[in-house]
Amino acid sequence: MKVLDVEDFGQQIADAVESYLVSLRAIARDETASTAIPMLLLEVSQIMLAGARLGVQVPFVPDTHFQPDAGPDPDLDAMRIRLAGVLGDLDTYAHNFEPYDADTLPANISDDLTSMATDLANGLSHYRSGDVIEALWWWQYSYLANWGTIGCGVLSALHSVVAHSALDSDLDESDRVAVADEVLGE
């Protein structure tokens, strides 16, 4: 088994986090729902890959129990509001926070993306201050405790919208039969 190069791994995760944060801000600023949804699906998928890579590592443990504060959380409320506006009626979805519990709760994609961004930005602050282990600990902990679960729900909701958009059609039954006959050469 290959020994983990912590510095290199930290840089890879920091790059993924930075990409997610930059892309999320750009999508909130410049996109419409028809372009935002597939872009968000891509961005959430990519950050969830980074999270999965964190989740399978042996737990990162900082040298000291208390780390210096990395500064205030970023104010992402304006971005959250813009995302909610871009997503419109697609913003609210049913999220099952615990897969072994049948109850679902209403959630908002914009709130969840912003919550993920807050967790990720916190780790990035530690990384930028030079504390790679604290950053990795924070990203790993917050992935397992919060943004991993949230990201799964968001990913499912975004995938559902993209899938329905691609697969649902306005063809009536006779049109579908005609298309099937044409495809089958009948």
Side-chain angles (χ1 to χ4, degrees), residues 29-43:
R29 240 186 351 263
D30 299 329
E31 301 292 335
T32 62
S34 63
T35 56
I37 297 288
M39 292 302 298
L40 289 170
L41 177 63
L42 177 62
E43 293 304 324

Side-chain angles (χ1 to χ4, degrees), residues 112-130:
D112 290 350
L113 291 171
T114 304
S115 176
M116 292 171 66
T118 300
D119 283 346
L120 292 164
N122 187 324
L124 192 58
S125 293
H126 288 289
Y127 183 82
R128 287 179 176 160
S129 72

Side-chain angles (χ1 to χ4, degrees), residues 147-162:
W147 66 268
T149 301
I150 290 171
C152 287
V154 169
L155 197 60
S156 178
L158 294 170
H159 176 268
S160 178
V161 173
V162 169

Side-chain angles (χ1 to χ4, degrees), residues 41-53:
L41 177 63
L42 177 62
E43 293 304 324
V44 173
S45 296
Q46 290 177 333
I47 200 62
M48 291 300 289
L49 173 60
R53 292 181 66 209

Side-chain angles (χ1 to χ4, degrees), residues 84-146:
V86 167
L87 296 170
D89 292 340
L90 297 174
D91 193 28
T92 302
Y93 72 104
H95 182 75
N96 184 342
F97 287 93
E98 177 53 53
Y100 296 105
D101 182 357
D103 294 332
T104 60
L105 299 170
N108 293 90
I109 293 172
S110 58
D111 291 346
D112 290 350
L113 291 171
T114 304
S115 176
M116 292 171 66
T118 300
D119 283 346
L120 292 164
N122 187 324
L124 192 58
S125 293
H126 288 289
Y127 183 82
R128 287 179 176 160
S129 72
D131 197 342
V132 176
I133 294 296
E134 175 67 17
L136 289 168
W137 176 86
W138 178 256
W139 285 322
Q140 184 182 54
Y141 169 78
S142 61
Y143 168 74
L144 295 170
N146 187 46

